[in-house]
Amino acid sequence: MTALRQSPHWQQLTSLAHSLEGQHMRDWFATDPQRTERLSASACGIHLDYSKNRVTDEVLSALYDLAREQGVEAKRDAMFSGDIINHTEQRAVLHTALRNFSGKPVMVDGQDVMPEVLATQDKIRDFTHSIHQGKRLGYTGKPLTHIVAVGIGGSFLGPKIMSEALKPYWVDGVNVHYVANVDGCHIHDVLAGLDHEQTLVVMSSKSFSTQETLQNTLTAKEWFLSAGGSQQDIAKHFIAISSNISAATEFGMAEDNIFPMWDWVGGRYSLWSAIGLPIALTIGYDNYRALLEGAFEMDNHFCSAPLEQNLPVIMAMLGVWYVNFQHAQSHVLLPYYHYLRGFPAYVQQLDMESNGKRIAGSAETVDYATGPVIWGSEGTNGQHSFHQLIHQGQVLIPADFMLPLNVPNQNDTHHAMLASNCFGQTQALMQGKTYDECYADLDGKGLDEDTRHSLAMHKTMPGNKPSNTLLFNQLDPKTLGSLVALYEHKVFVQGAIWGVNSFDQWGVELGKVLGNAVLAKLTDSDAPLDFDASTNHLINAFRNANQ
Ligand SMILES: O=P(O)(O)OC[C@H]1O[C@](O)(CO)[C@@H](O)[C@@H]1O
């Protein structure tokens, strides 16, 4: 058994989980009028009501004890100080330096990284202004009104989803199109509607070696040249964001057109670096900076609030409770705000690529579950589909509901309906509906006893289903920055408990290598096939269809 499972607080939580079997949150609410007041916390404009969770004060205090026992605070401080905590890649983890407005230095290998960070922020500001003010023009002198942002994974999800979430802040006259997949349908569709003289391609790739991004950029380059642009015009229409400056220059990017990033910024944590440039182009530099400031505020909260009032720690430890002590295998995110509809996909990469691991410390195979499956979509849509399983299915799915209390330019009736559905769902999940209540509802319906009993059984909602509710006044750039940083730190705390390295991603490598080996066989139809029978069979199917 691993040391974590043998730890006193893990053992205590295991027995607490047994002792709570058969208890219901409905009864806790009925007997404890202070429950919500006690189990709520606020920071950075975000209010978290976590009272609808299957936890008692005793459980919560054991969870915080576990966090202390596993050194969460010391691990957090090590991350912020630039220690090499990504030990499998020998890297510091310093996305927090990218939103460090404290004026204090951040040291990596004895060098302060802040001057470079601030210089890059200035470069982002100047570039954004030059596009918005029409000072930087295309090769025929036309303004650059269409931005094609090419990237994938962390070099795509952050910019795309944050830009989408901040739609009320979009700058007039600029259209940003995001392309990630190597599936040519997407890039061809996007380029087909654009005037190459007014298009700027922003290629985002930390490594500058990602197949999808390289291919999509090449396709965009061919499109630009065949539409009338020349090789020397490319510098006016193509820029890159990368930590691999030499590969970017070799590819043909003008050095001046390359925005740097650093190996101490993980891809899924990179929206705060120049990877966020498309966000600045979408919402303007001041709003982009407010996004960073919101994240900085959450960093300060995470570093200074006691664990019991610390939003990332509270959410992380509740997650640990469900994954490790209540057998939950997934966690659903339900933003009740159309513009935030992409947020579950963002957190999905953040969480699953960070904590989807099986080795703790230097080489110990874990004997407990790590990160859950993260999924979800905007409310109320899910209420008419997958909520059924959350309410009455046999699997436990903790939920995070999110709602802005105010929405710019919105009809009150819509917003009140949206909010009522959000609150109503959390209530229904918590209280459920008993057999007796369902049976009583069927009184006087003319049903025989067997039918009435059967129907009451089918209608019974067990309740006791956990949820957090996150409220904020408006989803402005600053609040969004805080919200993203909240989830980043939640994932960090969980990784610290489970002892995994939340900052590498070896699991995605093998598929890339094998995919390249397969590509060689698809492009050379005479090459002998020496894979397993199934893969050979699939390759043959492709070859036959493409003769
Ligand atoms: O920015 P890059 O180097 O193109 O990588 C894109 C994405 O690919 C991954 O490395 C996984 O394949 C992610 O971690 C990363 O965000």
Side-chain angles (χ1 to χ4, degrees), residues 242-308:
S242 185
S243 66
N244 192 348
I245 310 286
S246 56
T249 353
E250 229 168 83
F251 184 87
M253 294 290 179
E255 213 165 322
D256 218 33
N257 283 346
I258 303 171
F259 289 72
M261 58 186 292
W262 305 274
D263 70 1
W264 41 261
V265 185
R268 53 196 172 275
Y269 299 88
S270 65
L271 80 95
W272 319 104
S273 71
I275 294 286
L277 176 66
I279 309 177
L281 290 169
T282 308
I283 60 172
Y285 185 76
D286 291 347
N287 284 324
Y288 165 74
R289 196 180 157 95
L291 182 80
L292 269 57
E293 283 166 1
F296 176 58
E297 261 191 33
M298 185 54 76
D299 293 344
N300 289 335
H301 167 75
F302 179 47
C303 288
S304 60
L307 301 192
E308 291 76 1

Side-chain angles (χ1 to χ4, degrees), residues 201-401:
V201 176
V202 180
M203 185 220 198
S204 303
S205 177
K206 179 183 168 186
S207 60
F208 217 91
S209 66
T210 303
Q211 183 198 54
E212 293 91 331
T213 306
L214 289 171
Q215 183 55 45
N216 280 328
T217 310
L218 278 174
T219 300
K221 201 165 153 185
E222 281 161 18
W223 165 81
F224 178 79
L225 294 173
S226 65
S230 71
Q231 275 293 344
Q232 74 192 43
D233 300 327
I234 283 188
K236 290 204 153 100
H237 292 263
F238 284 75
I239 64 165
I241 302 148
S242 185
S243 66
N244 192 348
I245 310 286
S246 56
T249 353
E250 229 168 83
F251 184 87
M253 294 290 179
E255 213 165 322
D256 218 33
N257 283 346
I258 303 171
F259 289 72
M261 58 186 292
W262 305 274
D263 70 1
W264 41 261
V265 185
R268 53 196 172 275
Y269 299 88
S270 65
L271 80 95
W272 319 104
S273 71
I275 294 286
L277 176 66
I279 309 177
L281 290 169
T282 308
I283 60 172
Y285 185 76
D286 291 347
N287 284 324
Y288 165 74
R289 196 180 157 95
L291 182 80
L292 269 57
E293 283 166 1
F296 176 58
E297 261 191 33
M298 185 54 76
D299 293 344
N300 289 335
H301 167 75
F302 179 47
C303 288
S304 60
L307 301 192
E308 291 76 1
Q309 288 149 37
N310 197 308
L311 298 194
V313 175
I314 296 169
M315 288 176 62
M317 297 316 292
L318 288 168
V320 167
W321 172 243
Y322 292 119
V323 167
N324 297 120
F325 303 97
Q326 307 264 313
H327 315 296
Q329 294 188 343
S330 85
H331 190 107
V332 67
L333 265 62
L334 301 166
Y336 276 63
Y337 184 45
H338 180 64
Y339 297 145
L340 202 52
R341 63 192 178 280
F343 197 62
Y346 179 77
V347 177
Q348 186 174 67
Q349 184 199 17
L350 173 66
D351 196 317
M352 294 171 73
E353 203 178 34
S354 295
N355 288 339
K357 313 278 164 72
R358 52 192 287 280
I359 301 298
S362 62
E364 186 179 39
T365 306
V366 303
D367 53 1
Y368 45 83
T370 57
V373 174
I374 302 289
W375 60 288
S377 67
E378 68 185 297
T380 62
N381 300 7
Q383 291 176 209
H384 301 274
S385 73
F386 58 77
H387 281 228
Q388 168 62 40
L389 181 127
I390 308 179
H391 285 291
Q392 282 191 314
Q394 285 291 71
V395 286
L396 176 67
I397 306 176
D400 289 353
F401 287 82

Side-chain angles (χ1 to χ4, degrees), residues 522-534:
L522 296 182
T523 47
D524 174 5
S525 55
D526 296 328
L529 296 184
D530 45 11
F531 301 121
D532 61 89
S534 166

Side-chain angles (χ1 to χ4, degrees), residues 521-526 539-547:
K521 308 285 183 181
L522 296 182
T523 47
D524 174 5
S525 55
D526 296 328
I539 293 170
N540 275 326
F542 184 90
R543 281 177 170 179
N544 293 337
N546 287 279
Q547 271 170 358

Side-chain angles (χ1 to χ4, degrees), residues 4 24 36 59 70 161 184 197 202 288 309 311 314 328 341 343 367 388 432 447-448 452 490 496 501 528 538:
L4 177 60
H24 202 292
T36 300
V59 170
Q70 295 307 312
I161 287 163
E197 293 172 42
V202 180
Y288 165 74
Q309 288 149 37
L311 298 194
I314 296 169
R341 63 192 178 280
F343 197 62
D367 53 1
Q388 168 62 40
L447 302 173
D448 62 53
R452 186 172 169 185
K490 173 197 166 182
N501 178 0
L538 300 173

